[in-house]
Amino acid sequence: MESLSGALIGCGFFAVNQMHAWRDIKGASIVAVCDRNAERLQIVGDQFDVARRYTDAAAMFAAEKLDFVDVATTVGSHRELVEMAAAHGVPVICQKPFAPTLSDARAIVEACQTAGVPLMVHENFRWQSPIQAVRAVLDSGEIGTPFFGRISFRSGYDVFSGQPYLATGKRFIIEDLGIHILDIARFLLGDVSSLTARTARINPAIAGEDVATMLMDHAGGATSVVDCSYATKLAVEPFPETLIELDGSDGTIRLAQGYRLTVTGKTGTKVSDVSPPLLPWASRPWHNIQESVAAIQRHWIDCLASGQEPATSGADNLKTFALVEAAYAGAASRGPVQIDALLR
């Protein structure tokens, strides 16, 4: 396959993981980088030996012939940048959160559909190998039809030192982390019909919520609880592991701390280690997330080559984004929120 030429817009904290992954993926290379901050631009350009550097995205699109662009900026710039890419006919990956509002997200999807360009949201958590292992067990039929799930991410890890802007927004854990955990719930149990939420701010030094608990009804009949916390101090810090409990008609799945997967089903009980690989450029404990970055970007290149729609396409991600909006609305009203009403 001929190598596809891509560009990265946004050279911040997390984008370095994306650049490492692009360097390892056959069939793609980053030929240009863009960031309004000249210092960040130089650091990433030098580190990954990318000579073509821009501080203005419009100038980059005008000068470069690109097969795709990876938008890794903060949420406020996403709509403008993705619509710019669409106007130039360039397929685009967009970092999450997809947009500031659901209406902005819809507009982004429509712009790409009108332009006929592929759009994928960098919703990488479902691509972690332990999460994929859970999905594979479900697909095998070993536990029958799932009727209950709990997807949990509870930690006391200091995420603010690396990303200080997270402490300043009125929205925090649902928008930044919960969106991933909600997407995992959709990935495992299907689309959601209604959601009830409760939130709290335990850390007085931040502006947004750092604890959230969500109860969801899935269209297929299952019930799930999604709970997230950055205020939970444990004897052994689990960051950044997502823990999963699934009950089915014929058995159970438990993904426990330390990547221990226990499946009790039609053929008995099996315990396995589903630890993610430690990529050469990765570091613990981030390696499960770093591995998922490589996996989702490889999926994107495969989809561009085959013409298939990405699993986390813009259209699909609207359903996850609606859960985020529903969680904030439900936490404010303290009542259930119907998801279909948000997606109309």
Side-chain angles (χ1 to χ4, degrees), residues 127-200:
W127 289 96
Q128 294 173 27
S129 52
I131 309 300
Q132 292 287 320
V134 171
R135 179 72 249 184
V137 174
L138 282 177
D139 290 342
S140 75
E142 179 68 12
I143 72 160
T145 302
F147 61 84
F148 171 81
R150 181 185 179 195
I151 300 91
S152 180
F153 191 110
R154 310 192 72 81
S155 169
Y157 189 85
D158 178 14
V159 293
F160 308 109
S161 58
Q163 297 168 285
Y165 66 89
L166 293 175
T168 63
K170 292 182 179 179
R171 291 182 169 192
F172 170 45
I173 201 166
I174 298 174
E175 184 176 82
D176 182 68
L177 170 70
I179 190 169
H180 289 309
I181 314 306
L182 291 164
D183 186 72
I184 290 172
R186 279 191 60 234
F187 176 56
L188 298 177
L189 295 171
D191 289 335
V192 176
S193 55
S194 70
L195 182 152
T196 303
R198 299 290 185 269
T199 61

Side-chain angles (χ1 to χ4, degrees), residues 279-292:
L279 299 177
W281 49 268
S283 59
R284 300 179 188 275
W286 291 92
H287 63 298
N288 70 334
I289 294 175
Q290 291 165 319
E291 177 233 3
S292 73

